[in-house]
Amino acid sequence: MAQARADIPQVPATRHKGPPPALREHWTGRDAAEFSGAESETLKQRRTQIMSRGLPKQKPIDGVKQVIVVASGKGGVGKSTTAVNLALALSANDSVSQIHTVLQSHKSPSKAVGLLDVDVYGPSIPKMMNLKGDPELSQSNLMRPLLNYGIACMSMGFLIEETAPIVWRGLMVMSAIEKLLRQVDWGQLDYLVVDMPPGTGDVQLSVSQNIPISGAVIISTPQDIALMDARKGAEMFRKVHVPVLGLVQNMSVFQCPKCKHKTHIFGADGARRLARTLDLDILGDIPLHLNIREASDTGQPIVFSQPESDEARAYLRIATEVVRRLPPPPE
């Protein structure tokens, strides 16, 4: 959006100030009306030219059949963790019961899945997927994604130092997003999972308007504060005509590992209530569990490292629900 504003022709300020001082005393009411009318007509013509450009035309990413965006209105609700585990679950979705065999034995996944991290300011995918290094370039000068656990990954985190902050203005961020969308050689993918930054800003709009998206998955905790922003995220995707596949209620419940008592730390069923309000589905619940956090921090996502655990099975069920709601892929 920032780029679009930069392209709007600017009308010099002097054209709105009326006649020069030397002529002002001779300026009649009729002259003023004619000047104003001429200016109005000019502005109308320019406005018509700008509006005729319309929104950017959506162009598919070469080789990618379907794009799934994972988003949240607020940061810190487990969006990137969900995106990583969802990508791994999707790669074995045709054989969910055999995921241990598929992933742990390093066999080729039944579905080709990519993971794109467009959270420019806070890229998490490199650490969560245990990847680092510079992407190689193909013969056509496109970046090749890094690969781990059978998932092709691309992130701004591969292009900068791990501890270096990105201190960029909007136009530079938009340029980086354009490169991540258009200058990556994904090969042939069944699904590209896009880890969005939190919020409803320029990045979300740019991605939504530039590539066809099969569906959006909204992540939220049951907490009222998080739900307020999750609602804004869902409404934003509806405004830009991106289908919202449903909500994931993350950190839904904590179970004490010793006494097994369950505590709803962030509230109970808040995302379910929001889903009913928005006429959306709940794709599943993810518990607040130490194993999920530890697996993510060590770069071994729980769907890969503990595929038979209850936590991993929760992600697998969500992947199944996502696939059920996707439109048929283009031929």
Side-chain angles (χ1 to χ4, degrees), residues 11-31:
V11 180
T14 54
R15 296 183 64 178
H16 296 285
K17 294 181 179 179
L23 300 179
R24 195 166 292 149
E25 59 183 304
H26 304 293
W27 194 261
T28 66
R30 187 179 66 183
D31 292 332

Side-chain angles (χ1 to χ4, degrees), residues 77-144:
V77 298
K79 169 184 54 63
S80 295
T81 302
T82 304
V84 166
N85 284 287
L86 175 62
L88 282 162
L90 287 169
S91 70
N93 189 259
D94 285 347
S95 54
V96 166
S97 62
Q98 301 174 2
I99 189 167
H100 187 279
T101 303
V102 172
L103 295 179
Q104 292 282 16
S105 64
H106 303 287
K107 291 183 178 180
S108 298
S110 56
K111 293 290 185 181
V113 178
L115 183 57
L116 174 60
D117 183 1
V118 295
D119 192 347
V120 172
Y121 290 115
S124 304
I125 298 306
K127 182 174 180 62
M128 291 185 176
M129 290 294 288
N130 195 26
L131 286 168
K132 61 175 59 177
D134 298 327
E136 297 179 353
L137 294 179
S138 68
Q139 292 183 347
S140 54
N141 211 32
L142 297 177
M143 293 182 289
R144 286 198 175 102

Side-chain angles (χ1 to χ4, degrees), residues 84 88 115 124-133 146-149 151 153 158 162 295-301 304:
V84 166
L88 282 162
L115 183 57
S124 304
I125 298 306
K127 182 174 180 62
M128 291 185 176
M129 290 294 288
N130 195 26
L131 286 168
K132 61 175 59 177
L146 276 63
L147 189 70
N148 201 11
Y149 310 130
I151 305 297
C153 301
F158 299 145
E162 184 176 358
S296 297
D297 284 351
T298 58
Q300 296 190 8
F304 168 79

